[in-house]
Amino acid sequence: MYLGLDASSQSLSACLLDPDSYRIVHECSLRYDEALPHYGTRNGVCPDLADQEAMAPPLMWVEALDLLFAEMKQSGIALENIRAIAGSGQQHGSVYFNANMSSILNSLTPNQSLAEQLQPGLSRPLSPVWMDSSTSAQCETLTEAAGGWKQVLDITGSKAFERFTAAQILKFMQTDPEAYSHTTSIGLVSSFHASVLAGNIAPIDWGDGSGMNLLDMRACAWSDTMCRAVSPDLTSKLPPCVPPWKVISTVSPYFVSKYGLDPGCHIAAWSGDNPNSVAGLGLSSETTAAVSLGTSDTYFGMMSAYTTDPTAGGHVFYAPNGDYMSLICFKNGSLAREAVRKQYNLTWDQFSSCLEQLEPGAHEFIMLPYFTSEIVPKVLKPGVVRHHLSEDDPAANCRAVIEAQMMSMKNHSSWMNVSPELIYATGGASRNNAILQVLADVFQARVCPGETGNAAALGAALRAAHAHLSQSEQLTWEDLSKATAPSASTMIKPRQQYAEFYKQLAHIYQQAEEIYING
Ligand code: XUL
């Protein structure tokens, strides 16, 4: 079997694939808040931090790893049959190691938990994660040191963003120079999990490395200009950067003795959740886009030539096959949908009925849904604005929040210059057909929900297969992804009669957004 793990913002999930058909044979998941309540996280992050900060305890993530393997073993899964493991981590988050980490990883004993053993190897007990937007000052410093935003965009595929790792490292260095001086190596959420499984400090793959503002996207190597903009010693603290299909090691003896894994089981490089979702959805053409409706909502697609976003809201990352992908990330994803659902005390079924109850075209209302600070467009101070929309009307508010999310995706993805004919959907909300119908109507494209709600875990499992098999045979990425591409039978069709209405409403939405941003 091939195992894909997904260490996402709120949960750790596993997806096991049959080695011949590449079909899913087992899926399981645990949520940090519920499974590990002693860390006191809320939606996977620490509560009560300073304004705009978002951090999580990395020891919670490794404790989850122990728990998930124990659960899989207990439910009778033949873990000894796993040939290779790859994984997916919430992008941008960083983990800080001191000089002890390497030897700790090398000598993990099954008699103690991972969390207990790894704790002395961390130089920072909390890891900043992608929801953090507290580093605007550091983004400015970096941008100036690197020669301006166009230069940063051109080298790294994105302008300097608050959640990207470069600004986060700079903030750590400035606010806790003592702890920074004890930091000998910096990993990402993805490479940290890979390090634990491999028993060695793991490299960072090109895909997740693209979310750091440190990778030279043309050279596939750490950019000297960008690393120096953070600190002259930064390159000495970064692990090597490797292709996403690299087998980095066999599994650590810890997992062999404790959970019965085969000592020859390969650990492939982990990557970010967005590149992994590209793999899990089998995206390969520019006329097909994808939407992930999770904690964050992301809109992404493949890109044949390196083209950056002139409006600088979007990103270019490496995709799992070595091509490029474009991506836009919206922070007001599931938390905004949840906020509306909870405000009116609705179940998800009632939320869907509300959505279906109001015909598009019979309204002019708009909601600007910044329940939390937003990445695209950049909104640092949360605020919800309602135009022609009464707060007392549950159905209208349900429709308004979903329409806002879809219209924002449509407007902000215009730089990609592709009008998708087909959109694959993944993430928790991709199971909700009423939400997907709004997506189809706004984009006037067919929408196809993925085979599993978790394309990132499936993509990781496919990447494990790809890395493992590429060692001995020629295996094209297309061959692999065909096996799991979503089936056309569940396709949701756009309703043409609403095309003109949504074109106009999206235009009005764009104007309302501009007025809000520019004051
Ligand atoms: C993408 C982003 C989020 C995270 C967490 O740039 O910040 O989508 O990857 O899912």
Side-chain angles (χ1 to χ4, degrees), residues 295-369:
T295 309
S296 63
D297 284 350
T298 51
Y299 180 89
F300 51 93
M302 296 300 288
M303 189 180 244
S304 47
Y306 183 62
T307 319
T308 54
D309 175 6
T311 67
H315 316 293
V316 183
F317 292 163
Y318 268 100
N321 64 354
D323 287 345
Y324 296 109
M325 62 180 279
S326 53
L327 177 130
I328 318 170
C329 177
F330 305 90
K331 201 168 167 186
N332 281 278
S334 71
L335 299 183
R337 289 185 284 274
E338 277 284 334
V340 174
R341 184 181 72 80
K342 284 192 180 143
Q343 180 174 354
Y344 300 103
N345 221 352
L346 302 171
T347 62
W348 277 116
D349 281 345
Q350 289 167 329
F351 184 96
S352 303
S353 308
C354 279
L355 268 183
E356 283 157 352
Q357 194 177 315
L358 274 178
E359 275 284 289
H363 66 276
E364 270 192 355
F365 56 70
I366 273 182
M367 179 194 285
L368 295 177

Side-chain angles (χ1 to χ4, degrees), residues 131-175:
M131 283 166 266
D132 190 289
S133 54
S134 67
T135 59
S136 296
Q138 287 76 14
C139 286
E140 273 177 37
T141 310
L142 272 175
T143 304
E144 204 179 289
W149 70 269
K150 286 193 177 148
Q151 173 82 343
V152 179
L153 178 67
D154 183 57
I155 298 175
T156 73
S158 307
K159 74 169 170 109
F161 274 88
E162 282 78 0
R163 68 193 191 286
F164 278 45
T165 324
Q168 294 292 340
I169 297 173
L170 181 56
K171 182 180 166 192
F172 178 47
M173 199 178 91
Q174 290 170 345
T175 52

Side-chain angles (χ1 to χ4, degrees), residues 33-69:
D33 293 3
E34 283 104 50
L36 300 162
H38 46 287
Y39 287 95
T41 55
R42 221 174 287 148
N43 299 317
V45 292
C46 303
D48 308 325
L49 295 171
D51 201 24
Q52 294 170 6
E53 279 188 350
M55 304 214 209
L59 292 179
M60 175 179 79
W61 298 331
V62 290
E63 200 167 328
L65 211 49
D66 255 338
L67 255 185
L68 201 72
F69 271 100

